[in-house]
Amino acid sequence: MFEVACATGPGYIVVNSTPPQTYDCVELLGAAEQARLADPNATAGQQCTLPVNLDALRVIRQYAVAAGVSCTVDQASAVRVGNYEIGCAGADGYWLSRETDGSWNKMPCWYLTMDNLTCRFTDASERLSAWRPMVANTAASACDVSQYRRVGIDARRQFIFELKCQDGSGWFVRVSPEFETREVLTCTEAANIGREGNRGCQL
């Protein structure tokens, strides 16, 4: 068994088996963190020890750039194999996932937390701040979002969300699968959108 450090990307533990096996140092470190979150007394298992291989933030920042994330990444960890969470300084964070073709997907924390997934590095105010650029240059640009909820998906496979603003007003927003705002509607205009019993603004 050997440990290697790489000029770019993560280091590895390499096992001289048949066939040889490799274990990503960043993912090993993330697995240990997840185990200790569930049980502070859990054993870490095999881990890398070279100092450069313990710097997960350095490596995951590279992944964030490849995924098109433009924020300042200040915290990061592997969540599971091929999946990583990043925290952004003063902004909403992301989960990154690596596809089989080597490309990257990013999913914002403001969306993930609606499905009861946890973003350890993003607080509530940072999640709410994600809406500011999404409604900029729209009729809802003055909305300081205090709450949001997912209403559903329309026939064009666009997400529909309701926003509640600090001043008590509200908006319906249609968002593409790439999380780009396509349309904003006042609560009056959205009065008939949604399922029966859950139509229009509810917040």
Side-chain angles (χ1 to χ4, degrees):
M1 186 179 293
F2 304 89
E3 180 182 352
V4 298
C6 301
T8 60
Y12 296 88
I13 287 179
V14 182
V15 181
N16 183 24
S17 57
T18 305
Q21 300 175 65
T22 59
Y23 297 91
D24 182 311
C25 290
V26 170
E27 292 179 350
L28 289 173
L29 184 61
E33 290 177 357
Q34 294 296 320
R36 286 170 177 155
L37 285 172
D39 177 3
N41 298 315
T43 57
Q46 182 66 53
Q47 292 292 309
C48 300
T49 58
L50 294 174
V52 69
N53 286 341
L54 302 179
D55 188 359
L57 183 58
R58 173 188 65 86
V59 175
I60 299 175
R61 275 176 173 157
Q62 299 171 25
Y63 300 160
V65 171
V69 174
S70 59
C71 75
T72 299
V73 179
D74 58 1
Q75 292 176 284
S77 178
V79 179
R80 50 180 176 260
V81 175
N83 289 264
Y84 308 86
E85 181 191 345
I86 62 170
C88 295
D92 190 42
Y94 296 87
W95 273 27
L96 311 176
S97 59
R98 180 164 43 200
E99 302 301 309
T100 54
D101 63 0
S103 63
W104 288 91
N105 285 329
K106 61 180 186 291
M107 187 70 69
C109 282
W110 69 261
Y111 183 81
L112 287 167
T113 52
M114 288 192 293
D115 291 322
N116 297 317
L117 293 172
T118 300
C119 282
R120 292 189 292 142
F121 308 137
T122 303
D123 62 27
S125 64
E126 289 173 330
R127 292 196 300 272
L128 289 172
S129 72
W131 284 101
R132 293 186 197 123
M134 291 180 65
V135 298
N137 302 315
T138 73
S141 61
C143 179
D144 187 4
V145 178
S146 62
Q147 287 180 270
Y148 59 91
R149 73 179 180 98
R150 182 171 49 204
V151 178
I153 301 176
D154 67 14
R156 293 173 289 175
R157 307 304 297 171
Q158 295 183 117
F159 300 114
I160 303 174
F161 298 94
E162 178 191 351
L163 308 182
K164 181 179 180 180
C165 311
Q166 290 282 3
D167 63 6
S169 61
W171 297 86
F172 264 40
V173 182
R174 293 184 191 273
V175 178
S176 73
E178 295 75 34
F179 299 102
E180 297 174 348
T181 298
R182 299 303 190 197
E183 183 182 28
V184 297
L185 301 168
T186 65
C187 286
T188 300
E189 293 169 328
N192 294 318
I193 296 177
R195 295 182 182 276
E196 187 174 352
N198 192 35
R199 288 178 180 158
C201 289
Q202 302 287 321
L203 294 175

